[in-house]
Amino acid sequence: MSNTLIAYSTDKGQTLKICNKIKAQLESCGEVVSLHNLAEGDVDLARFDKILIGASIKHGKHAHRVFKFIKEKQPLLEQKPSGFFSVSLVARKPGKDTAETNPYMQAFLKRITWTPDFMEVFGGMVDYQRYNFFDRHIIRFIMRITKGPTNLDACIEYTDWDKVDRFSQRVANY
């Protein structure tokens, strides 16, 4: 039985929702799973057998705390099975929906020296009603450019839950 950590950084909650789905899948395979919000401080990685990091994109970037966590914990991340997944609206688009083709994942990998054992990207969620004034209009502008939904009443989840299940199974089998 593996003791697995899922450390995450989320802005509006879709990454946490994905983490909870992965957690449930891993637990159904007999793993003990703990969630840790990177915004809530440090966590001792030594007590875990596997480590996953999930992070959302906000305004084109992963949160600084994700890079800080990886830099500080890299020796332990390299000693154990570990992985990373990214959540963004860009991942909703064919051709940008894999770790190899997603521009945010590729930018992320260029900024770190750690090589995750498993990686994935998941589509996020657009929910204009949950955004503050500034974010609502920035995201709407980006959606207009990328041919996404611009109706300010739109609430669309782009997460492919079957893909989340397949990723969870890969992690469980590792």
Side-chain angles (χ1 to χ4, degrees):
M1 173 178 12
S2 289
N3 188 11
T4 302
L5 172 70
I6 304 174
Y8 66 93
S9 173
T10 190
D11 182 51
K12 299 293 184 227
Q14 191 66 13
T15 302
L16 177 57
K17 188 173 178 181
I18 292 167
C19 289
N20 279 314
K21 175 71 168 172
I22 294 169
K23 179 180 188 284
Q25 285 289 107
L26 295 177
E27 288 174 340
S28 74
C29 294
E31 296 193 26
V32 175
V33 183
S34 300
L35 295 177
H36 174 72
N37 185 339
L38 293 175
E40 295 176 359
D42 200 18
V43 61
D44 179 16
L45 299 188
R47 62 189 182 101
F48 297 99
D49 304 309
K50 288 185 207 173
I51 302 154
L52 282 178
I53 302 169
S56 62
I57 293 291
K58 182 174 181 184
H59 303 308
K61 298 180 182 172
H62 291 99
H64 174 73
R65 67 179 155 260
V66 175
F67 295 101
K68 182 176 183 233
F69 179 80
I70 291 168
K71 185 176 181 183
E72 290 173 357
K73 306 296 185 178
Q74 186 163 342
L76 278 170
L77 289 170
E78 291 173 343
Q79 292 173 15
K80 301 173 184 232
S82 58
F84 179 80
F85 65 91
S86 180
V87 180
S88 70
L89 288 172
V90 167
R92 80 188 190 281
K93 299 185 85 163
K96 296 183 181 183
D97 58 348
T98 69
E100 297 76 26
T101 62
N102 184 276
Y104 296 128
M105 179 65 87
Q106 292 307 304
F108 167 81
L109 293 171
K110 287 178 183 169
R111 285 191 60 189
I112 62 170
T113 57
W114 165 56
T115 303
D117 296 306
F118 26 85
M119 297 179 283
E120 192 56 86
V121 295
F122 301 115
M125 181 170 157
V126 63
D127 184 357
Y128 288 108
Q129 297 301 308
R130 293 183 63 195
Y131 305 146
N132 64 37
F133 178 84
F134 177 74
D135 287 347
R136 183 177 307 124
H137 292 286
I138 290 292
I139 292 169
R140 186 178 195 201
F141 176 72
I142 293 166
M143 288 292 111
R144 183 173 292 123
I145 291 170
T146 62
K147 299 181 178 23
T150 57
N151 179 334
L152 292 178
D153 293 325
C155 179
I156 303 168
E157 185 175 69
Y158 291 102
T159 305
D160 178 342
W161 294 105
D162 290 335
K163 187 177 184 182
V164 173
D165 287 344
R166 289 189 302 273
F167 177 71
S168 301
Q169 195 60 55
R170 282 197 334 257
V171 172
N173 292 338
Y174 200 85

Short mmCIF file of all heavy atoms in Angstrom, two decimals, residues 91-114:
data_model
loop_
_atom_site.label_atom_id
_atom_site.label_comp_id
_atom_site.label_asym_id
_atom_site.label_seq_id
_atom_site.Cartn_x
_atom_site.Cartn_y
_atom_site.Cartn_z
N ALA A 91 -5.67 23.84 -22.45
CA ALA A 91 -5.68 22.38 -22.61
C ALA A 91 -7.02 21.86 -23.12
O ALA A 91 -7.14 20.67 -23.42
CB ALA A 91 -5.32 21.71 -21.28
N ARG A 92 -8.00 22.72 -23.29
CA ARG A 92 -9.29 22.31 -23.86
C ARG A 92 -9.17 22.10 -25.35
O ARG A 92 -10.03 21.46 -25.96
CB ARG A 92 -10.36 23.35 -23.55
CG ARG A 92 -10.34 24.56 -24.48
CD ARG A 92 -11.29 25.68 -24.04
NE ARG A 92 -11.44 26.71 -25.04
CZ ARG A 92 -10.58 27.67 -25.26
NH1 ARG A 92 -9.45 27.76 -24.56
NH2 ARG A 92 -10.81 28.58 -26.20
N LYS A 93 -8.13 22.63 -25.95
CA LYS A 93 -8.01 22.63 -27.40
C LYS A 93 -7.19 21.45 -27.91
O LYS A 93 -6.11 21.19 -27.40
CB LYS A 93 -7.35 23.94 -27.86
CG LYS A 93 -8.17 25.17 -27.47
CD LYS A 93 -7.58 26.41 -28.03
CE LYS A 93 -8.14 26.51 -29.41
NZ LYS A 93 -8.03 27.80 -30.03
N PRO A 94 -7.71 20.76 -28.92
CA PRO A 94 -6.92 19.70 -29.55
C PRO A 94 -5.58 20.27 -30.04
O PRO A 94 -5.51 21.39 -30.54
CB PRO A 94 -7.79 19.25 -30.73
CG PRO A 94 -9.18 19.68 -30.36
CD PRO A 94 -9.02 20.94 -29.55
N GLY A 95 -4.54 19.49 -29.85
CA GLY A 95 -3.20 19.95 -30.23
C GLY A 95 -2.49 20.68 -29.11
O GLY A 95 -1.30 20.94 -29.20
N LYS A 96 -3.21 21.00 -28.05
CA LYS A 96 -2.61 21.65 -26.88
C LYS A 96 -3.04 20.90 -25.63
O LYS A 96 -2.96 21.42 -24.52
CB LYS A 96 -3.03 23.12 -26.79
CG LYS A 96 -2.50 23.93 -27.96
CD LYS A 96 -2.84 25.37 -27.84
CE LYS A 96 -2.28 26.10 -29.06
NZ LYS A 96 -2.49 27.53 -28.99
N ASP A 97 -3.47 19.66 -25.81
CA ASP A 97 -4.08 18.88 -24.73
C ASP A 97 -3.23 17.71 -24.25
O ASP A 97 -3.73 16.81 -23.59
CB ASP A 97 -5.46 18.40 -25.16
CG ASP A 97 -5.43 17.55 -26.43
OD1 ASP A 97 -4.38 17.51 -27.11
OD2 ASP A 97 -6.46 16.93 -26.75
N THR A 98 -1.94 17.74 -24.55
CA THR A 98 -1.02 16.72 -24.03
C THR A 98 0.17 17.42 -23.38
O THR A 98 0.46 18.59 -23.69
CB THR A 98 -0.50 15.77 -25.14
OG1 THR A 98 0.37 16.51 -26.00
CG2 THR A 98 -1.65 15.15 -25.93
N ALA A 99 0.88 16.70 -22.54
CA ALA A 99 2.06 17.28 -21.90
C ALA A 99 3.10 17.70 -22.94
O ALA A 99 3.81 18.68 -22.76
CB ALA A 99 2.66 16.28 -20.91
N GLU A 100 3.16 16.97 -24.04
CA GLU A 100 4.15 17.26 -25.08
C GLU A 100 3.78 18.46 -25.95
O GLU A 100 4.66 19.09 -26.54
CB GLU A 100 4.34 16.03 -25.99
CG GLU A 100 4.89 14.80 -25.30
CD GLU A 100 3.86 14.06 -24.44
OE1 GLU A 100 2.64 14.15 -24.71
OE2 GLU A 100 4.28 13.40 -23.48
N THR A 101 2.49 18.78 -26.03
CA THR A 101 2.06 19.85 -26.93
C THR A 101 1.52 21.08 -26.22
O THR A 101 1.28 22.10 -26.87
CB THR A 101 0.96 19.33 -27.89
OG1 THR A 101 -0.18 18.92 -27.13
CG2 THR A 101 1.47 18.18 -28.74
N ASN A 102 1.31 21.02 -24.93
CA ASN A 102 0.74 22.14 -24.20
C ASN A 102 1.81 23.20 -23.94
O ASN A 102 2.85 22.90 -23.33
CB ASN A 102 0.14 21.65 -22.88
CG ASN A 102 -0.55 22.75 -22.14
OD1 ASN A 102 0.09 23.51 -21.41
ND2 ASN A 102 -1.85 22.85 -22.30
N PRO A 103 1.60 24.44 -24.39
CA PRO A 103 2.64 25.46 -24.22
C PRO A 103 2.95 25.78 -22.76
O PRO A 103 4.11 26.09 -22.43
CB PRO A 103 2.06 26.68 -24.95
CG PRO A 103 0.59 26.43 -25.05
CD PRO A 103 0.41 24.95 -25.07
N TYR A 104 1.96 25.70 -21.87
CA TYR A 104 2.24 25.98 -20.46
C TYR A 104 3.07 24.88 -19.83
O TYR A 104 3.95 25.15 -19.01
CB TYR A 104 0.94 26.17 -19.68
CG TYR A 104 0.16 27.38 -20.14
CD1 TYR A 104 -1.18 27.27 -20.47
CD2 TYR A 104 0.76 28.64 -20.25
CE1 TYR A 104 -1.91 28.37 -20.90
CE2 TYR A 104 0.04 29.73 -20.67
CZ TYR A 104 -1.29 29.59 -20.99
OH TYR A 104 -2.00 30.69 -21.41
N MET A 105 2.81 23.64 -20.19
CA MET A 105 3.61 22.54 -19.68
C MET A 105 5.04 22.65 -20.20
O MET A 105 6.00 22.47 -19.45
CB MET A 105 3.01 21.19 -20.08
CG MET A 105 3.82 19.99 -19.59
SD MET A 105 3.91 19.80 -17.80
CE MET A 105 2.44 18.85 -17.51
N GLN A 106 5.20 22.99 -21.46
CA GLN A 106 6.54 23.12 -22.03
C GLN A 106 7.30 24.27 -21.38
O GLN A 106 8.49 24.14 -21.08
CB GLN A 106 6.45 23.27 -23.56
CG GLN A 106 5.97 22.01 -24.26
CD GLN A 106 6.78 20.79 -23.87
OE1 GLN A 106 8.00 20.76 -24.02
NE2 GLN A 106 6.11 19.77 -23.34
N ALA A 107 6.63 25.38 -21.13
CA ALA A 107 7.27 26.50 -20.44
C ALA A 107 7.65 26.11 -19.01
O ALA A 107 8.73 26.46 -18.52
CB ALA A 107 6.34 27.72 -20.43
N PHE A 108 6.78 25.37 -18.35
CA PHE A 108 7.04 24.88 -17.00
C PHE A 108 8.31 24.01 -16.99
O PHE A 108 9.20 24.19 -16.16
CB PHE A 108 5.83 24.09 -16.50
CG PHE A 108 6.07 23.29 -15.26
CD1 PHE A 108 6.04 23.89 -14.01
CD2 PHE A 108 6.34 21.93 -15.33
CE1 PHE A 108 6.26 23.16 -12.86
CE2 PHE A 108 6.57 21.20 -14.19
CZ PHE A 108 6.53 21.81 -12.95
N LEU A 109 8.38 23.06 -17.91
CA LEU A 109 9.52 22.13 -17.95
C LEU A 109 10.83 22.86 -18.23
O LEU A 109 11.89 22.42 -17.76
CB LEU A 109 9.27 21.04 -18.99
CG LEU A 109 8.13 20.08 -18.65
CD1 LEU A 109 7.82 19.17 -19.84
CD2 LEU A 109 8.44 19.26 -17.40
N LYS A 110 10.79 23.96 -18.96
CA LYS A 110 12.00 24.74 -19.23
C LYS A 110 12.49 25.48 -18.00
O LYS A 110 13.67 25.81 -17.91
CB LYS A 110 11.76 25.72 -20.37
CG LYS A 110 11.68 25.04 -21.72
CD LYS A 110 11.39 26.03 -22.82
CE LYS A 110 11.26 25.27 -24.14
NZ LYS A 110 10.73 26.09 -25.20
N ARG A 111 11.60 25.75 -17.05
CA ARG A 111 11.96 26.51 -15.84
C ARG A 111 12.45 25.64 -14.70
O ARG A 111 12.94 26.17 -13.69
CB ARG A 111 10.76 27.31 -15.35
CG ARG A 111 10.50 28.54 -16.18
CD ARG A 111 9.50 29.45 -15.54
NE ARG A 111 9.92 29.94 -14.22
CZ ARG A 111 9.14 30.62 -13.40
NH1 ARG A 111 7.90 30.89 -13.74
NH2 ARG A 111 9.58 31.01 -12.23
N ILE A 112 12.30 24.33 -14.81
CA ILE A 112 12.69 23.45 -13.71
C ILE A 112 13.77 22.48 -14.19
O ILE A 112 13.95 22.27 -15.38
CB ILE A 112 11.49 22.66 -13.15
CG1 ILE A 112 10.88 21.75 -14.23
CG2 ILE A 112 10.43 23.61 -12.58
CD1 ILE A 112 9.85 20.77 -13.72
N THR A 113 14.49 21.89 -13.23
CA THR A 113 15.46 20.86 -13.57
C THR A 113 14.98 19.48 -13.16
O THR A 113 15.57 18.48 -13.55
CB THR A 113 16.83 21.15 -12.92
OG1 THR A 113 16.66 21.27 -11.51
CG2 THR A 113 17.42 22.44 -13.48
N TRP A 114 13.91 19.40 -12.40
CA TRP A 114 13.30 18.14 -12.02
C TRP A 114 12.60 17.55 -13.23
O TRP A 114 11.95 18.26 -14.01
CB TRP A 114 12.30 18.39 -10.89
CG TRP A 114 11.32 17.31 -10.57
CD1 TRP A 114 11.59 16.02 -10.25
CD2 TRP A 114 9.89 17.43 -10.53
NE1 TRP A 114 10.43 15.33 -10.00
CE2 TRP A 114 9.36 16.17 -10.17
CE3 TRP A 114 9.00 18.48 -10.76
CZ2 TRP A 114 8.01 15.94 -10.03
CZ3 TRP A 114 7.65 18.25 -10.62
CH2 TRP A 114 7.15 16.98 -10.25
#
